[in-house]
Amino acid sequence: MERHRVEPRPDWQRTVEEQGLIYPLTRYPDDSLRPYWDESAYYSFSLPEVEALEEVVEELHAMCLAAAAHIVARDRFAELGITDPRLAGLVAESWRRRAELPTIYGRFDLRYDGTGPAKMLEYNADTPTSLVEAASPQWFWMEERFPGADQWNSLHERLVEAWRSQAHLLPPGSPVHFVHTDGDELGEDLMTVAYLRETAQQAGLDTAALSVERIGWDRISGRFVDDRLRFIRACFKLYPWEWLATDRFGPHVLDTLDNGGGTGSTCWIEPAWKMLLSNKALLAILWELHPGHPNLLPAYLDGPRELAAATGYVAKPLLGREGAGVTVHRPGEAPVVRDEPCCYQELAPLPDFDGNRVVLGAWTVGDASAGLGIRESSGLITDEYARFVPHVILQDPLTEPYSAT
């Protein structure tokens, strides 16, 4: 794993916007605009390195599924903040009937520097973003810059196949609705949903687009409807389950939840059992079940324990996106147990490449490893100001066709 500097392509912004990345710039607090898509650098990996990382991702995914089974079997929902008995029961039913429910994708965030073992930071298996840039512009960048090279990226093909292979699990005779929230100001959620809708269409599915705010409730039939008054029988939502289940329509969601077998009226994708994987409490349960595992970091729910003195720790709210609410505590600082439920994970500072802190976003589709997206940040927390940097697999980085410094 190496970082290289390279001259961006002429008119790169227009190029990536045409490929679906309509949010190539980030506005900073000083009102300046700086690249989110940053092709002034790229990372190179060897093929053995990528193959080893793929194995790690699939092992971690299997461990997470086993942890979900453990949570359900031992009724540990309260540790995840799921205290509503009805919601817990529906999540448990969703898990038990998971073979009857379509599921598409997820993203591991990993700490990796090219030397030691990759460490799992978290798993967003419900509403992961940065998919568009990983699947499309990154691939076309490689084809233009490094013809004949390769990339850890089978996302598009695997997504299409995931929809095709699970089409029989969807309610027949109605479109799959793809929804996002109008609260998305950047367009990232909109384009993520639009891209996933495109992969479903390529798999032969009938689809429809809608925002969450435009979903209606038909009081006569007791069902969700779209803006054309069609029943919403299958719905992919880029809208976290913790919002979906607790907003003012939450009771209707639970009343009409199709948990497999056609017992309800709306089949939501991702299914309710994904709440077990996108919750940071999973990190502590994984460490409890696999203490000392080389790809895990020590993590606890009741406080930082020995981490406060030994290594330092990171306190993470059980739910959240883009580093929101995460705090960093250096070794030797007085331990702090926060009022809100948190996961306390060992501080493993992100690798520093030329002043850039790097996190690997390793994608899964179904149960298989599917690709990589890399984000860089200036600090230890990967937040909304992170930059996406492309990558390539090279047998010999010194033979790259474009001059790098």
Side-chain angles (χ1 to χ4, degrees), residues 17-185:
E17 286 177 346
E18 290 176 349
Q19 293 164 352
L21 191 67
I22 65 172
Y23 42 95
L25 303 175
T26 298
R27 187 171 298 279
Y28 279 67
D30 63 2
D31 212 35
S32 64
L33 288 172
R34 306 178 202 176
Y36 164 65
W37 168 271
D38 186 358
E39 60 177 68
S40 67
Y42 69 92
Y43 285 83
S44 65
F45 296 81
S46 69
L47 182 58
E49 204 169 20
V50 168
E51 290 174 338
L53 285 168
E54 287 181 317
E55 291 182 3
V56 167
V57 168
E58 293 187 359
E59 180 181 3
L60 287 172
H61 176 71
M63 289 164 57
C64 289
L65 295 180
H70 170 85
I71 293 167
V72 172
R74 301 295 179 89
D75 192 15
R76 299 182 66 174
F77 293 99
E79 295 173 63
L80 280 66
I82 302 175
T83 56
D84 178 352
R86 186 184 183 204
L87 177 58
L90 288 170
V91 172
E93 181 188 4
S94 173
W95 169 256
R96 288 190 287 266
R97 305 189 70 163
R98 64 192 179 279
E100 304 168 51
L101 300 170
T103 177
I104 304 300
Y105 75 140
R107 190 196 73 229
F108 282 98
D109 284 347
L110 304 175
R111 185 206 181 277
Y112 181 70
D113 62 5
T115 57
K119 300 287 188 179
M120 176 181 171
L121 299 174
E122 57 189 67
Y123 192 13
N124 188 337
D126 183 22
T127 59
T129 52
S130 77
L131 176 67
V132 174
E133 46 268 48
S136 180
Q138 176 176 228
W139 180 263
F140 292 120
W141 168 88
M142 179 202 67
E143 289 192 323
E144 184 174 342
R145 285 292 191 172
F146 297 93
D150 202 357
Q151 193 173 82
W152 183 5
N153 191 355
S154 58
L155 275 163
H156 189 84
E157 297 83 355
R158 289 185 183 275
L159 287 167
V160 173
E161 179 55 31
W163 289 113
R164 182 181 293 119
S165 64
Q166 297 180 94
H168 68 285
L169 300 177
L170 298 167
S174 60
V176 180
H177 286 78
F178 284 77
V179 304
H180 70 288
T181 174
D182 286 334
D184 166 37
E185 297 179 354

Side-chain angles (χ1 to χ4, degrees), residues 127-404:
T127 59
T129 52
S130 77
L131 176 67
V132 174
E133 46 268 48
S136 180
Q138 176 176 228
W139 180 263
F140 292 120
W141 168 88
M142 179 202 67
E143 289 192 323
E144 184 174 342
R145 285 292 191 172
F146 297 93
D150 202 357
Q151 193 173 82
W152 183 5
N153 191 355
S154 58
L155 275 163
H156 189 84
E157 297 83 355
R158 289 185 183 275
L159 287 167
V160 173
E161 179 55 31
W163 289 113
R164 182 181 293 119
S165 64
Q166 297 180 94
H168 68 285
L169 300 177
L170 298 167
S174 60
V176 180
H177 286 78
F178 284 77
V179 304
H180 70 288
T181 174
D182 286 334
D184 166 37
E185 297 179 354
L186 297 177
E188 183 176 15
D189 289 2
L190 169 66
M191 292 309 298
T192 300
V193 169
Y195 174 65
L196 285 164
R197 183 187 178 198
E198 178 185 344
T199 62
Q201 290 172 332
Q202 291 185 18
L205 300 181
D206 184 20
T207 68
L210 195 65
S211 71
V212 173
E213 290 79 4
R214 287 161 53 210
I215 293 177
W217 175 254
D218 184 342
R219 287 175 293 180
I220 297 175
S221 65
R223 301 182 69 170
F224 288 110
V225 295
D226 66 13
D227 50 1
R228 294 170 54 186
L229 300 182
R230 294 177 297 184
F231 292 142
I232 298 178
R233 302 188 62 197
C235 186
F236 175 90
K237 85 293 177 295
L238 201 67
Y239 193 74
W241 261 104
E242 60 267 21
W243 298 357
L244 190 69
T246 58
D247 71 14
R248 66 190 184 97
F249 284 98
H252 297 322
V253 171
L254 303 186
D255 287 342
T256 61
L257 180 61
D258 187 342
N259 252 344
T263 57
S265 61
T266 302
C267 172
W268 298 95
I269 309 164
E270 298 290 327
W273 66 263
K274 283 294 192 81
M275 294 181 74
L276 304 174
L277 303 190
S278 281
N279 191 299
K280 306 301 188 298
L282 174 73
L283 302 171
I285 292 172
L286 281 170
W287 185 251
E288 174 190 322
L289 297 175
H290 306 277
H293 191 284
N295 301 120
L296 297 176
L297 293 168
Y300 309 103
L301 294 177
D302 58 355
R305 300 189 190 180
E306 79 282 357
L307 305 178
T311 62
Y313 63 95
V314 177
K316 299 180 176 182
L318 299 188
L319 303 168
R321 296 174 65 181
E322 295 187 323
V326 175
T327 55
V328 177
H329 304 262
R330 302 286 185 174
E333 294 180 3
V336 176
V337 178
R338 289 165 52 166
D339 291 336
E340 65 177 318
C342 283
C343 175
Y344 300 87
Q345 186 182 51
E346 179 183 288
L347 174 60
L350 295 176
D352 187 330
F353 285 78
D354 302 327
N356 301 282
R357 298 287 185 169
V358 182
V359 64
L360 303 190
W363 292 92
T364 57
V365 175
D367 294 324
S369 169
L372 173 67
I374 299 175
R375 288 170 294 158
E376 291 183 338
S377 57
S378 301
L380 295 178
I381 298 174
T382 306
D383 57 18
E384 68 268 29
Y385 301 111
R387 305 168 296 278
F388 187 96
V389 181
H391 80 277
V392 67
I393 299 172
L394 293 177
Q395 294 299 327
D396 181 6
L398 298 179
T399 63
E400 61 198 46
Y402 282 76
S403 62

